[in-house]
Amino acid sequence: EIFTIFSNSVTNGGKTTLAEKLKNMLPNCDIISQDDFFKPESEVETDERGFKLYDVLDALYMDEMVTSIRNWMKSPARSGVVTQEPQNTRDNLKNVCILIVEGFLLYNYEPLNELWNRRYFLTLPYEECKKRRSTRVYQPPDTPGYFDGHVWPMYLKYKNELEENPSMQVDYLDGTKSQEELLSYVYSDIIQELNKLRE
């Protein structure tokens, strides 16, 4: 049995950390990261201001990403992680293979839409997001004004598109909460969903 979790977030929203921690807690769990599918810099478009347009689907090999997810679903990885769950929950989980797909532009790409069981979206307010972004080193490095000129506007556009689409079942999470709180919430939610599937 395959269970897929899609974790989306604003830049530096904490999705990768959350995904890694979940992987260590869930049995037979693997992660596919959207960041692994960026096109090389030479293939990413530049706008009239000289900004590289990384925060759009065209900057990514999305068809390759879908292929990777489908291939994983055909032959999922079995890790044998022993979870700390009570025996009955553990028995419930042992035949499940879980895939976490994490990225920043997952829910507006049609071919991914039939592949998920649960969707989460980590959000951050502007100031916190900008502060976190400024502490990270990117290749290529952010040019001056890049966050305000490209990254944040694209995030807002994307989030608005999601919120205007009533068929999108997304669980929005507050990225300013502690990692422990977010992990505890998402983990419990996943276990609950898995138990429902079993009923």
Side-chain angles (χ1 to χ4, degrees):
E1 188 174 351
I2 306 286
F3 190 81
T4 52
I5 300 152
F6 280 32
S7 168
N8 199 103
S9 111
V10 62
T11 178
N12 296 281
K15 63 190 173 307
T16 309
T17 312
L18 183 64
E20 290 292 347
K21 288 186 171 175
L22 281 169
K23 183 182 176 180
N24 293 332
M25 292 172 73
L26 294 163
N28 307 318
C29 182
D30 231 340
I31 298 172
I32 289 178
S33 172
Q34 192 171 29
D35 285 357
D36 295 337
F37 297 92
F38 272 114
K39 292 176 180 174
E41 192 185 348
S42 58
E43 286 181 43
V44 176
E45 281 183 50
T46 306
D47 73 3
E48 64 285 353
R49 297 163 299 178
F51 290 148
K52 281 277 179 191
L53 303 181
Y54 274 105
D55 287 52
V56 295
L57 286 169
D58 283 349
L60 296 142
Y61 294 119
M62 289 302 294
D63 46 353
E64 284 185 21
M65 184 176 183
V66 173
T67 303
S68 293
I69 294 170
R70 289 192 180 283
N71 287 343
W72 187 94
M73 290 168 91
K74 277 183 215 147
S75 58
R78 290 197 168 274
S79 67
V81 166
V82 178
T83 64
Q84 302 305 304
E85 286 300 317
Q87 187 65 43
N88 56 346
T89 308
R90 216 164 43 230
D91 291 345
N92 257 355
L93 292 177
K94 70 169 181 258
N95 298 320
V96 179
C97 290
I98 298 168
L99 178 64
I100 300 172
V101 180
E102 59 102 356
F104 68 106
L105 270 181
L106 295 173
Y107 304 150
N108 297 29
Y109 188 66
E110 203 54 50
L112 289 177
N113 281 348
E114 73 238 29
L115 301 178
W116 56 274
N117 292 93
R118 290 298 280 150
R119 284 198 277 210
Y120 302 98
F121 194 126
L122 283 145
T123 63
L124 282 178
Y126 168 83
E127 290 298 341
E128 176 63 20
C129 188
K130 189 171 185 175
K131 190 176 88 186
R132 289 189 193 182
R133 176 96 183 190
S134 70
T135 64
R136 291 277 291 278
V137 178
Y138 287 91
Q139 274 320 327
D142 282 357
T143 49
Y146 188 67
F147 180 82
D148 288 312
H150 176 60
V151 177
W152 188 255
M154 292 313 292
Y155 161 66
L156 291 180
K157 174 179 179 284
Y158 171 55
K159 189 162 169 277
N160 288 340
E161 283 172 16
L162 278 187
E163 288 168 346
E164 284 164 14
N165 183 345
S167 68
M168 282 282 176
Q169 293 163 294
V170 179
D171 198 344
Y172 291 93
L173 307 174
D174 176 357
T176 62
K177 289 191 169 162
S178 72
Q179 278 293 334
E180 290 67 35
E181 214 174 328
L182 288 167
L183 183 65
S184 165
Y185 171 79
V186 173
Y187 180 72
S188 305
D189 192 53
I190 291 165
I191 297 295
Q192 210 175 324
E193 280 300 304
L194 285 165
N195 287 336
K196 262 194 240 165
L197 284 178
R198 283 290 142 89
E199 280 162 17

